[in-house]
């Protein structure tokens, strides 16, 4: 015991610990250290030093060495390889040939090219970075408005976290102990719906302001079909992951391994040298270590939370509120929107879910649905000020477009995102239909 | 003055000595990721084509997870990749910044120190008891040993950063040695960009891309 409260009032210990955690995180202590140290202190208070240390010492290894988590390094590796395999150019070309004739066609093509890239990458900011280089110059050359061109690339990047393979969805699945496969599938349609709503709002805007998004000459059917072989690896990776989960012929990790192997071979065929492969691997290892540190750090804290009874108390309080569950849900989402303005998406989810998730489930919401909506919410924060990392990325790649211009360009897509979230709230089937098909 | 430069020299040497160790550990983790890919493909082929799944595949994957999870941690620390909220720290300068860095690093040292000790105990128990996996009966201790080993490198890196921050706290005018620079969103974006484009095959070299050129 440190404070001398101990099990006389575990809830109080829990609340003190949560406050301490908040203070540490605000003061810039790395999330893994803050969560683990507060978890350790809380456990010492409740169980004494030897009990606490015994638990804490086993968590990193036992929680990291689970088969379900092994899908993460595979998905991360696919993403890094995909950058180096030069897939983005082909995706943009193909999308442009098929969709360029639409009002705002180049911007629409950018949306679907980012969605396609999302199918081999789970990283939002990185997707924005590559497309800022591939798609923005092309749009500007055709006289597109700078704000629109920048906005579509920053927003398009966020599709990466919904469309499988998505690292953040896997992390949600692990934290709430849901099926990784079902959650990955669940992200597919909402990702597509997001892309369609982006596209619709671009078409609408381009018809309103044709001078901001001038038309480009349509391509012939021959040109269109000629553009397909270049993007076939993307379809192959999607096919592998989706059919593996549906058909059960491979676990998500094995499907990820096969997908990575496909992109790996492709990268070699495109002339990637040892240096490229090594740097993709080193970056994958770095990101894997970072994510795993977060996971075990937060899980130490979660072990303590379980003893403290805070999640149960919070759930009881939320369920006891005299409000319709949907109103509570909207409040929770708004809280996430605010939190997401200041915090990284993965850190935010890991820190909040242990307390918020049981309450959401007790209110009668579907766990898979909540996962997707919360991930979408976290992504919206990647394009909103003040942090809005995707916007900074676009500005960094294309310095001729100023940061305020990028943020103004985002406005249209922010509206689109709000529409998407409303659609997901009103029609939860968009999320649940694919995973439900799996269970039948 | 001369003394402080000497200190910087020692710290710089420690920094340079530690870096290759961290790189090597991260490279090991990277190799484990690559092997996981190979193993996954081999498992699919062996199971579907030859109807003979690799024995102990899941045990093997689970034991190797420790390598991927922990070996890159110190490398991550050196380049400042472990996430934190930079809203406040990003606005600090001079002594305030270094005080925050010292505080954050000390918290890290405490928890990593505890984990080295008790992670080591966890390993030792498993080693003396001869713990093995249920399915393939592989020994568990090598995997558990990775926790104290990887965390010891991490601990050393944190120590270098602590000394570096303390040195800067004493005199913020010095040239920084062995510390991470706090990055604003803009510089982070810059990094993302380099990460995304650092490869040796540029977009434009790929055939068929750059339509309309």
């Amino acid at each position: 015991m440190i404070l001398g409260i101990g099990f006389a009032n575990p809830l109080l210990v829990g609340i003190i610990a949560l406050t301490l955690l908040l203070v540490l995180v605000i003061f810039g202590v790395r999330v893994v250290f803050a969560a683990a140290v507060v978890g350790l202190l809380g456990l010492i208070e409740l169980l004494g030093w030897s009990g606490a240390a015994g638990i804490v010492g086993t968590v990193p290894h036992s929680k990291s060495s689970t088969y379900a988590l092994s899908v993460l390094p595979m998905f991360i590796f696919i993403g890094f390889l995909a950058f180096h395999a030069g897939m983005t150019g082909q995706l943009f070309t193909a999308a442009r040939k098929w969709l360029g004739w639409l009002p705002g066609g180049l911007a629409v093509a950018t949306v679907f090219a980012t969605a396609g890239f999302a199918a081999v990458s789970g990283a939002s900011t990185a997707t924005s970075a590559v497309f800022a280089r591939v798609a923005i110059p092309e749009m500007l050359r055709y006289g597109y408005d700078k704000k629109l061109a920048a906005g579509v690339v920053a927003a398009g990047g966020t599709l990466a976290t919904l469309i499988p393979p998505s690292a953040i969805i896997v992390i949600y699945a692990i934290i709430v102990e849901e099926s990784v496969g079902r959650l990955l599938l669940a992200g597919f349609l909402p990702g597509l719906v997001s892309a369609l709503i982006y596209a619709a709002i671009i078409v609408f805007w381009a018809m309103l302001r044709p001078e901001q998004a001038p038309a480009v000459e349509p391509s012939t059917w021959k040109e269109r079909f000629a553009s397909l072989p270049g993007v076939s690896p993307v379809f192959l990776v999607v096919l592998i992951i989706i059919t593996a989960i549906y058909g059960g012929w491979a676990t998500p990790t094995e499907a990820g391994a096969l997908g990575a192997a496909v992109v790996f071979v492709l990268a070699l065929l495109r002339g990637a040298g040892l240096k490229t492969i090594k740097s993709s691997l080193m970056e994958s290892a770095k990101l894997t270590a970072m994510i795993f540190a977060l996971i075990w750090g937060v899980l130490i804290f979660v072990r303590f939370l379980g003893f403290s009874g805070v999640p149960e108390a919070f759930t009881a309080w939320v369920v006891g509120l005299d409000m319709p569950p949907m109103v509570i849900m909207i409040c929770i989402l708004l809280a996430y929107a605010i939190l997401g303005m200041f915090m990284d998406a993965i850190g935010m989810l890991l820190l909040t879910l242990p307390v918020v998730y049981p309450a959401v489930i007790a209110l009668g919401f579907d766990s898979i649905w909540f996962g997707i909506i919360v991930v979408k919410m976290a992504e919206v924060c990647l394009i909103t000020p003040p942090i809005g990392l995707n916007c900074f990325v676009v500005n960094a790649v294309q310095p001729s477009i100023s940061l305020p211009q990028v943020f103004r360009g985002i406005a249209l897509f922010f509206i689109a995102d709000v529409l998407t979230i409303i659609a997901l709230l009103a029609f939860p089937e968009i999320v649940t239909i694919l995973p439900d098909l799996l269970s039948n | 003055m001369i003394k402080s430069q000497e200190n910087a020299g020692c710290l710089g040497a420690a920094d340079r000595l530690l870096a290759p160790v961290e790189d090597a550990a991260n490279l090991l983790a990277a190799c484990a990721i690559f092997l996981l890919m190979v193993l996954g493909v081999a498992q699919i082929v062996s199971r579907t084509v030859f109807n003979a799944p690799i024995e102990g595949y899941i045990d093997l994957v689970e034991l190797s997870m420790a390598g991927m999870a922990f070996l890159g941690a110190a490398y991550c620390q050196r380049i400042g990749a472990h996430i934190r909220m930079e809203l406040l720290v990003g606005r600090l300068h001079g002594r305030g910044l270094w005080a925050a860095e010292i505080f954050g690093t000390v918290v890290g040292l405490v928890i990593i120190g505890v984990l080295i000790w008790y992670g080591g105990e966890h390993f030792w128990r498993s080693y003396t008891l001869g713990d093995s996996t249920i399915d393939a009966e592989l020994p568990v201790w090598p995997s558990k040993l990775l926790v104290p080993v990887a965390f010891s490198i991490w601990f050393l890196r944190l120590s270098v950063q602590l000394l570096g921050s303390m040195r800067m706290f004493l005199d913020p005018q010095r040239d920084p040695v062995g510390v991470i620079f706090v990055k604003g969103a803009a510089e982070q974006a810059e990094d993302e960009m380099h990460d995304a484009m650092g490869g040796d095959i540029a977009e434009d070299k790929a055939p068929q891309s750059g339509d309309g050129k």
Side-chain angles (χ1 to χ4, degrees):
Chain A
M1 280 203 250
I2 306 165
L3 300 172
I5 305 171
F7 262 118
N9 193 349
L11 203 58
L12 180 63
V13 177
I15 289 164
I16 294 172
L18 276 171
T19 316
L20 179 62
L21 179 61
L22 193 69
V23 170
L24 291 185
V25 169
I26 288 175
F27 274 93
V29 176
R30 297 186 188 276
V31 175
V32 40
F33 299 152
V37 99
V38 173
L40 173 70
L41 292 176
L43 283 168
I44 293 172
E45 176 68 26
L46 292 180
L47 305 174
W49 171 256
S50 60
I55 292 177
V56 170
T58 61
V59 169
H61 186 270
S62 64
K63 292 297 176 183
S64 301
S65 45
T66 54
Y67 185 71
L69 276 174
S70 63
V71 68
L72 276 174
M74 287 299 92
F75 282 2
I76 291 168
F77 187 40
I78 295 182
F80 280 114
L81 273 175
F83 289 128
H84 300 301
M87 273 190 183
T88 43
Q90 268 111 333
L91 273 167
F92 183 60
T93 307
R96 194 202 139 148
K97 295 239 158 91
W98 286 86
L99 302 163
W101 56 274
L102 285 163
L106 281 182
V108 175
T110 306
V111 167
F112 284 97
T114 52
F117 192 66
V120 284
S121 166
S124 183
T125 39
T127 308
S128 286
V130 255
F131 279 95
R133 212 185 117 191
V134 178
I136 290 182
E138 199 64 6
M139 285 190 270
L140 295 186
R141 212 155 60 83
Y142 277 89
Y144 268 55
D145 180 58
K146 276 184 178 176
K147 296 190 291 295
L148 179 66
V152 66
V153 168
T158 67
L159 296 172
T161 47
L162 284 177
I163 297 175
S166 156
I168 193 163
I169 288 185
V170 174
I171 292 168
Y172 175 88
I174 302 288
I175 289 293
V176 307
E177 297 176 331
E178 255 293 348
S179 144
V180 172
R182 285 166 63 91
L183 262 155
L184 284 173
L185 279 183
F188 194 74
L189 267 189
L192 222 54
V193 168
S194 273
L196 285 173
I197 293 180
Y198 283 162
I201 215 157
I202 292 167
V203 171
F204 174 75
W205 188 252
M207 281 156 75
L208 221 59
R209 299 273 168 83
E211 75 284 357
Q212 287 197 5
V216 293
E217 69 286 359
S219 307
T220 63
W221 283 101
K222 203 173 153 220
E223 283 174 328
R224 285 178 188 174
F225 281 105
S227 71
L228 288 184
V231 296
S232 53
V234 171
F235 291 108
L236 195 57
V237 171
V238 176
L239 204 69
I240 288 170
I241 290 172
I242 302 270
T243 61
I245 296 169
Y246 258 116
W249 56 269
T251 64
T253 305
E254 290 160 9
L258 189 56
V262 167
V263 185
F264 177 69
V265 170
L266 182 83
L268 289 184
L269 291 178
R270 292 273 173 79
L274 193 63
K275 203 175 132 239
T276 313
I277 302 298
K278 190 187 161 195
S279 75
S280 312
L281 272 170
M282 287 292 271
E283 284 166 31
S284 306
K286 175 195 84 184
L287 194 56
T288 305
M290 186 272 260
I291 291 177
F292 273 84
L294 268 179
I295 291 175
W296 61 251
V298 168
L299 285 176
I300 289 177
F301 180 67
V302 168
R303 283 302 285 272
F304 155 70
L305 266 189
F307 282 107
S308 77
V310 167
E312 291 85 349
F314 181 74
T315 304
W317 176 71
V318 168
V319 173
L321 288 175
D322 190 20
M323 271 193 265
M326 200 38 114
V327 176
I328 301 176
M329 174 54 69
I330 290 168
C331 291
I332 291 175
L333 292 181
L334 286 177
Y336 271 118
I338 294 167
L339 201 57
M341 286 180 183
F342 307 104
M343 253 192 107
D344 167 272
I346 296 176
M348 174 176 90
L349 288 190
L350 278 168
L351 284 178
T352 56
L353 283 174
V355 176
V356 174
Y357 176 78
V360 167
I361 298 309
L363 286 172
F365 291 100
D366 182 73
S367 70
I368 289 186
W369 175 83
F370 181 65
I372 299 303
I373 208 150
V374 111
V375 166
K376 176 71 194 173
M377 210 63 215
E379 283 312 297
V380 177
C381 299
L382 272 177
I383 57 168
T384 47
I387 292 189
L389 201 52
N390 280 13
C391 299
F392 284 92
V393 166
V394 171
N395 167 253
V397 181
Q398 297 290 350
S400 69
I401 306 176
S402 74
L403 205 52
Q405 280 177 321
V406 184
F407 276 120
R408 274 201 307 218
I410 275 301
L412 203 56
F413 300 95
F414 181 73
I415 297 169
D417 277 339
V418 172
L419 289 177
T420 307
I421 288 168
I422 292 173
L424 296 182
L425 286 171
F427 307 103
E429 295 80 12
I430 301 173
V431 178
T432 53
I433 190 165
L434 282 183
D436 281 351
L437 274 176
L438 181 64
S439 38
N440 295 336
Chain B
M1 191 64 209
I2 295 167
K3 183 106 196 304
S4 91
Q5 269 169 356
E6 262 173 29
N7 288 346
C10 286
L11 199 58
D15 186 14
R16 282 189 298 276
L17 218 60
L18 201 51
V21 179
E22 290 159 342
D23 289 349
N26 196 58
L27 187 63
L28 267 179
C31 292
I33 293 177
F34 192 78
L35 287 177
L36 182 65
M37 176 185 92
V38 174
L39 196 63
V41 175
Q43 166 76 338
I44 293 177
V45 172
S46 154
R47 190 180 51 217
T48 51
V49 180
F50 304 107
N51 203 15
I54 298 169
E55 208 181 320
Y57 164 76
I58 290 187
D59 286 356
L60 208 58
V61 171
E62 289 192 341
L63 290 180
S64 66
M65 292 306 296
M68 296 169 230
F70 306 122
L71 284 173
Y75 177 88
C76 245
Q77 182 69 36
R78 183 178 83 218
I79 57 178
H82 287 295
I83 63 163
R84 63 167 167 185
M85 200 169 119
E86 306 212 313
L87 200 69
L88 190 70
V89 193
R91 276 153 215 248
L92 293 175
H93 300 283
R95 286 228 160 94
L97 169 67
W98 298 115
E101 289 286 358
I102 291 170
F103 176 64
T105 314
V106 167
V107 173
L109 279 167
V110 168
I111 188 66
I112 297 305
V114 169
L115 287 173
I116 292 172
W117 188 260
Y118 287 93
E121 213 168 61
H122 192 47
F123 146 73
W124 187 246
R125 246 192 330 266
S126 153
Y127 179 72
T128 46
L129 294 175
D131 230 0
S132 62
T133 58
I134 300 161
D135 186 22
E137 300 194 347
L138 301 165
V140 178
W141 66 265
S143 169
K144 287 188 174 167
L145 180 61
L146 286 173
V147 176
V149 169
F151 284 15
S152 297
I153 308 175
W154 196 357
F155 191 87
L156 291 177
R157 170 52 59 188
L158 283 165
S159 309
V160 168
Q161 287 179 350
L162 178 67
L163 292 175
S165 303
M166 280 161 59
R167 187 177 152 271
M168 293 308 291
F169 179 77
L170 292 176
D171 181 4
Q173 304 305 319
R174 287 168 174 160
D175 288 333
V177 176
V179 290
I180 324 165
F181 289 95
V182 180
K183 290 178 189 154
E187 287 114 274
Q188 265 183 43
E190 202 90 38
D191 280 3
E192 285 288 341
M193 190 176 80
H194 286 297
D195 279 356
M197 287 159 194
D200 53 20
I201 23 170
E203 275 308 315
D204 349 1
K205 279 195 232 152
Q208 299 166 30
S209 78
D211 179 61
K213 271 180 199 161

